[in-house]
Amino acid sequence: MIDSFRTLFGSADGVRVFRAPGRVNLIGEHTDYNMGFVLPVALQLATTIAAAPARDGKLRIYSEHQREMREWNAAEIGCLERAGHWSDYPIGVARELARAGYATRPANLLIRSSVPEGSGLSSSAALEVSAALAFLRGRAMDPLDLARLCQRAEVTFVGMPCGIMDQYVSIFGRANSAVAIDCRSLEHRYVDLPSGIAFLAVNSMVKHALAGSAYRKRVEECAAAVERLRQRFAGVESLRDVTPQQLDAVELPGVIGRRARHVVTENARVERFIEASASGDLAAMGKLLVESHRSLRYDYEVSCAELDFLVDAALSVEGVYGSRMTGGGFGGCTVTMLSPTAIPRFREEIARAYQCEFHVAPAFYECQPSAGAGEFPVA
Ligand code: GLA
C-alpha cells in the first residue's frame, strides 16, 4: 500500500496507515436508532487509509475503488456542503472534526477497502472511522466521542439517519468476541461465542434502490409508534421502553403496529440470544436468528426476495443452525450460523441454488470476530 501511495503522490515521507473494520450484525436489527440492543462483530474486512502530510495546503483523497482523486483546500473543509459523492463520507468526518476543534491538516490520503460496498457489511462506517483516524493522526479523542462524531457525519452530512451500531463496533470490536451494545447508555460488553460454530455472510449482490428512503421511513414510523404509546404509558421515550404486554394493550394501527412489534420482540431476542450463547444452546441461538429474519420480513418489511431465498436455502443445508438478513436490508448480506465443517458443502449448495434462481454468483465471507479500528505500525 505504501508503494502505491508513493507512486500516486510522488513520496511516502511521513506516511502512516490506519484501518477500520466493517461489521456483521448477528442479531438486533433496526433496534439501534430505537435505543435498543444490538450484537455485531467487527470483521477482518476493513478499510485501510495511508496518509501523509502535504506541503501545499491541500487535502487530497484518492479512492482505489472509485479510481478517483479529489482535492480541496484544507482550510475550507469546515464550510463544505454535501456533494452527493463518495467523498462526502470522509469530508463529512473532516468537517465534524474541524467543528470539534480538530482542524483539518493538509494531507494526502489513499483509501483501499476490502469491505464490499452496498453489502450491508458497513463499508460506510469503515470509511468514516478510518478517515477519522487518518485525519486525527494520533491526536487523542475519546473512542465513544469518535463513534458519535462519525455517526453525526453520516446523519448530517451524508444525509442517512443511521443509528450508532456500525461506527461503534468498528471502533470497539475485539478479536474472538461479539459486542453487545446498549444503544441508549452507549455501554457495551464483550460476548464470547460458543466454540464449534462459525458465522458466514452471503452477499446477495443486490442493492435495491429504495434502501435509503425506506430506512428513513422506518425511523419515522417508529417515532410515530412512540408518540402513540407515550399517550398511554408515561415514561415511554423510545420503543426500547415498551414491553410486549404494553404493545398488546394498545393495539397500534396496521403498519405502525407491525414496526413496533418487530423492534420490541427483536430487543428481547438479543437478550435471549446472548443467554443461549452463554449456555451453549446452539439450537436456541439458531432459532432466534430465524425468528429475527421472519420479523424483519413480515413486520418490518425490509427484506427482499433474494435475502428470503438465501435464508430458506441455508436452512435446508445440513449443519446450519440459523440464518437471517443482516444490516439495513433490501439487499446486501445474510448471516448464517453453522458448523465449521459444513462450510464447503454450504457454499457449494448455496452458490448453485442462487445462481439458478437469480443468475448471479453470491459472494461468501467468513465472519471471524476481529479487532476494532487502529493504526498499523509502519516499519
Ligand atoms: C444500517 C445502519 C445501522 C442500523 C442497521 C439496521 O446498517 O447504519 O445504524 O440501523 O442499518 O440494524
Side-chain angles (χ1 to χ4, degrees):
M1 196 172 180
I2 292 172
D3 286 343
S4 305
F5 187 93
R6 192 177 294 114
T7 307
L8 194 63
F9 294 110
S11 155
D13 285 354
V15 76
R16 289 170 68 170
V17 179
F18 304 89
R19 166 198 173 273
R23 62 100 188 93
V24 70
N25 188 20
L26 301 185
I27 195 158
E29 216 66 85
H30 288 277
T31 46
D32 62 349
Y33 53 83
N34 288 300
M35 303 295 119
F37 304 104
V38 293
L39 187 68
V41 304
L43 297 173
Q44 273 164 345
L45 299 172
T47 298
T48 308
I49 299 187
R55 295 213 183 84
D56 56 359
K58 303 282 188 197
L59 173 65
R60 268 179 225 92
I61 308 184
Y62 182 78
S63 159
E64 278 191 346
H65 177 69
Q66 306 287 345
R67 297 181 190 196
E68 193 186 7
M69 178 84 83
R70 299 280 283 188
E71 182 182 304
W72 304 263
N73 286 323
E76 293 170 13
I77 297 299
C79 39
L80 292 176
E81 295 297 331
R82 175 189 322 170
H85 191 263
W86 62 264
S87 59
D88 284 350
Y89 292 93
I91 292 301
V93 168
R95 192 182 72 152
E96 287 299 329
L97 280 170
R99 290 183 171 183
Y102 299 88
T104 311
R105 296 170 176 165
N108 294 323
L109 269 63
L110 163 62
I111 304 175
R112 175 176 290 182
S113 188
S114 58
V115 191
E117 225 174 275
S119 61
L121 299 180
S122 201
S123 57
S124 314
L127 176 53
E128 289 152 12
V129 174
S130 56
L133 294 183
F135 293 135
L136 283 169
R137 211 179 156 74
R139 282 178 285 180
M141 185 168 190
D142 173 72
L144 182 55
D145 288 343
L146 187 60
R148 297 165 83 159
L149 184 143
C150 289
Q151 179 204 17
R152 204 156 63 236
E154 186 157 343
V155 174
T156 62
F157 199 75
V158 178
M160 158 78 177
C162 65
I164 187 86
M165 165 168 70
D166 304 347
Q167 294 81 6
Y168 195 113
V169 68
S170 184
I171 291 170
F172 288 95
R174 193 162 88 175
N176 304 317
S177 298
V179 189
I181 307 167
D182 177 333
C183 297
R184 170 174 279 159
S185 71
L186 296 181
E187 290 163 340
H188 67 274
R189 65 193 167 95
Y190 292 107
V191 171
D192 291 334
L193 298 164
S195 55
I197 53 162
F199 288 92
L200 194 68
V202 183
N203 193 345
S204 67
M205 313 305 278
V206 299
K207 175 97 189 144
H208 290 286
L210 70 168
S213 56
Y215 189 96
R216 181 180 299 278
K217 194 137 188 286
R218 298 301 179 281
V219 174
E220 289 164 3
E221 287 163 348
C222 290
V226 168
E227 219 26 71
R228 302 232 182 181
L229 287 156
R230 177 185 282 151
Q231 290 165 12
R232 177 74 186 275
F233 302 106
V236 169
E237 279 170 20
S238 71
L239 288 176
R240 152 76 176 272
D241 301 314
V242 179
T243 65
Q245 293 74 16
Q246 288 176 326
L247 205 56
D248 285 346
V250 172
E251 284 202 31
L252 296 173
V255 170
I256 303 277
R258 291 205 303 279
R259 304 297 188 250
R261 185 166 60 196
H262 164 72
V263 175
V264 171
T265 58
E266 183 78 353
N267 275 326
R269 278 188 290 272
V270 176
E271 294 192 72
R272 282 161 60 205
F273 188 87
I274 293 170
E275 280 162 26
S277 169
S279 60
D281 189 344
L282 307 184
M285 290 168 77
K287 203 162 158 266
L288 287 161
L289 295 179
V290 178
E291 279 174 24
S292 168
H293 184 77
R294 304 280 184 244
S295 178
L296 288 157
R297 176 177 180 179
Y298 296 111
D299 277 350
Y300 219 64
E301 296 177 279
V302 289
S303 187
C304 60
E306 293 88 347
L307 293 170
D308 295 338
F309 181 89
L310 284 173
V311 166
D312 290 338
L315 297 179
S316 70
V317 178
E318 214 185 300
V320 168
Y321 293 99
S323 184
R324 58 182 285 276
M325 55 154 276
T326 185
F330 299 103
C333 285
T334 59
V335 59
T336 298
M337 175 179 151
L338 74 178
S339 152
T341 55
I343 292 178
R345 257 258 308 283
F346 176 89
R347 291 178 66 137
E348 204 181 293
E349 285 185 28
I350 298 298
R352 187 178 49 233
Y354 195 73
Q355 178 77 44
C356 290
E357 187 75 14
F358 294 104
H359 316 293
V360 207
F364 299 87
Y365 317 100
E366 293 196 21
C367 302
Q368 180 58 43
S370 302
E375 182 168 3
F376 269 120
V378 174

